[in-house]
């Protein structure tokens, strides 16, 4: 990983989480305009039956898409328009890791595909995230 990428990840992990992602324990692992990888623990992000909450997968997916879209043009902001998540397999422990790549990276609209896996590499969720790219006003 080059020095710029290392600095970017350090910045994202220290200040690029915000209160919700901080509470979720999200960690940025890789970040560029063409691929973003992040993870969060299952523990602390479960529903009453002890399974990973579907909302945690949705937050992870939208965060990954938003970060990638922002990295494509850091003078703009990325605003979630739609996040769709198919929950394919439950998780009770360990971590989930999301890997996102852009399907469309336009000037005003991005669409990202995010695949979320458990520690065994099993696909737990599949998501698409549509983001509007706007001036930060």
């Amino acid at each position: 990983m080059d020095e710029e990428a290392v600095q970017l990840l350090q910045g994202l992990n220290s200040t690029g989480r915000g209160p919700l992602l901080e509470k979720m324990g999200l960690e940025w692992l890789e970040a560029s305009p063409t691929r973003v990888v992040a993870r969060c623990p299952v523990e602390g992000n479960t529903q009453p039956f002890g399974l990973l909450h579907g909302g945690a997968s949705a937050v992870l997916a939208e965060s990954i898409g938003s970060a990638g879209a922002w990295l494509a043009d850091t003078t703009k902001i990325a605003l979630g328009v739609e996040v769709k998540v198919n929950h394919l397999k439950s998780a009770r422990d360990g971590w989930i890791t999301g890997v996102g790549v852009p399907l469309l990276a336009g000037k005003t609209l991005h669409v990202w595909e995010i695949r979320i896996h458990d520690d065994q590499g099993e696909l737990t969720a599949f998501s698409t995230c549509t983001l509007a790219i706007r001036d930060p006003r």
Side-chain angles (χ1 to χ4, degrees):
M1 192 177 317
D2 67 20
E3 182 62 31
E4 183 178 347
V6 169
Q7 288 179 351
L8 175 63
L9 283 176
Q10 288 173 342
L12 283 172
N13 279 314
S14 66
T15 60
R17 287 190 282 189
L20 175 59
L21 300 185
E22 186 74 33
K23 287 176 188 170
M24 286 183 58
L26 184 137
E27 296 177 356
W28 299 104
L29 303 176
E30 184 181 328
S32 77
T34 59
R35 181 177 155 94
V36 176
V37 181
R39 71 181 195 152
C40 69
V42 173
E43 184 178 343
N45 294 308
T46 58
Q47 38 89 313
F49 300 108
L51 300 171
L52 177 70
H53 194 291
S57 296
V59 169
L60 178 62
E62 186 168 347
S63 299
I64 287 170
S66 295
W70 173 73
L71 288 170
D73 183 351
T74 58
T75 68
K76 307 284 186 184
I77 59 172
L79 304 169
V81 174
E82 178 190 50
V83 61
K84 177 182 175 271
V85 183
N86 290 309
H87 305 286
L88 307 172
K89 183 177 182 286
S90 61
R92 288 188 179 275
D93 53 30
W95 292 72
I96 56 167
T97 301
V99 178
V101 295
L103 299 176
L104 171 73
K107 290 184 184 208
T108 61
L109 189 74
H110 276 224
V111 177
W112 279 70
E113 173 187 288
I114 301 95
R115 293 175 182 259
I116 300 173
H117 297 84
D118 63 16
D119 286 337
Q120 291 71 46
E122 299 275 337
L123 187 63
T124 61
F126 174 83
S127 176
T128 54
C129 183
T130 304
L131 302 127
I133 309 304
R134 301 289 185 260
D135 287 320
R137 299 182 226 161

